[in-house]
Amino acid sequence: MGTDARNRPLVLMVVYDLFFRQKVEEGLLAAGYRVEAAMGPRKMREKIDRELPSCLVMDLEITSMDAVEAIRELKGDPATRDLPVIGYCSHVKLDLRSQALDAGCDRVAARSEISSRLDRLVGQFAGGPS
């Protein structure tokens, strides 16, 4: 892979589960993306302000923040309104799924879908690496 890593699309992951993050991160890296992680709202905002990612992947069940409110704030801010947000949660959390979509989340996926095909989901919203 002769391409400079800085030229790869950046995916920001807001996750708590480190084992799950590692698995997903490895898949995205293999697909040609750069990946950064944030475990709370302050770090998420710092990273977004430093460099607007191509896509944000958010654990909707994260305990360090209100994910739905964070999505609402991002989608209400002109600087981040167009940032694609892919949220994920347990497939049985139908209310949370609905709340996230109402807040502006572009796609809500089951955790199993994130672990098996996140690279394709990100590609749909952020384009693929060149």
Side-chain angles (χ1 to χ4, degrees), residues 68 71-72 75-76 81 83-86 98-108:
V68 172
I71 293 167
R72 187 173 285 110
K75 292 301 186 169
R81 178 176 295 137
L83 171 62
V85 177
I86 299 172
S98 178
Q99 291 170 12
L101 290 170
D102 288 347
C105 192
D106 296 283
R107 174 78 153 77
V108 177

Side-chain angles (χ1 to χ4, degrees), residues 14-17 38-41 58-68 70 88 93 96 111:
V14 179
V15 300
Y16 181 74
D17 183 331
M39 294 177 68
M58 181 176 287
D59 180 349
L60 299 175
E61 297 178 77
I62 193 166
T63 57
S64 63
M65 65 191 294
D66 181 339
V68 172
Y88 68 91
K93 301 272 186 166
L96 182 56
R111 192 175 172 98

Side-chain angles (χ1 to χ4, degrees), residues 13-119:
M13 295 180 59
V14 179
V15 300
Y16 181 74
D17 183 331
L18 295 177
F19 293 112
F20 186 72
R21 179 182 105 192
Q22 182 178 2
K23 178 180 180 180
V24 172
E25 189 173 336
E26 288 171 359
L28 288 171
L29 289 170
Y33 293 95
R34 282 186 300 133
V35 182
E36 290 189 18
M39 294 177 68
R42 193 183 77 220
K43 283 292 186 192
M44 177 190 77
R45 196 66 217 203
E46 286 173 6
K47 289 177 183 272
I48 289 172
D49 289 345
R50 187 181 71 237
E51 179 183 357
L52 189 64
S54 297
C55 188
L56 176 68
V57 177
M58 181 176 287
D59 180 349
L60 299 175
E61 297 178 77
I62 193 166
T63 57
S64 63
M65 65 191 294
D66 181 339
V68 172
E69 185 56 33
I71 293 167
R72 187 173 285 110
E73 288 175 13
L74 288 170
K75 292 301 186 169
D77 181 344
T80 54
R81 178 176 295 137
D82 296 329
L83 171 62
V85 177
I86 299 172
Y88 68 91
C89 61
S90 167
H91 69 281
V92 299
K93 301 272 186 166
L94 300 178
D95 285 345
L96 182 56
R97 179 186 199 291
S98 178
Q99 291 170 12
L101 290 170
D102 288 347
C105 192
D106 296 283
R107 174 78 153 77
V108 177
R111 192 175 172 98
S112 59
E113 187 178 15
I114 291 295
S115 65
S116 66
R117 54 184 302 260
L118 181 58
D119 58 333

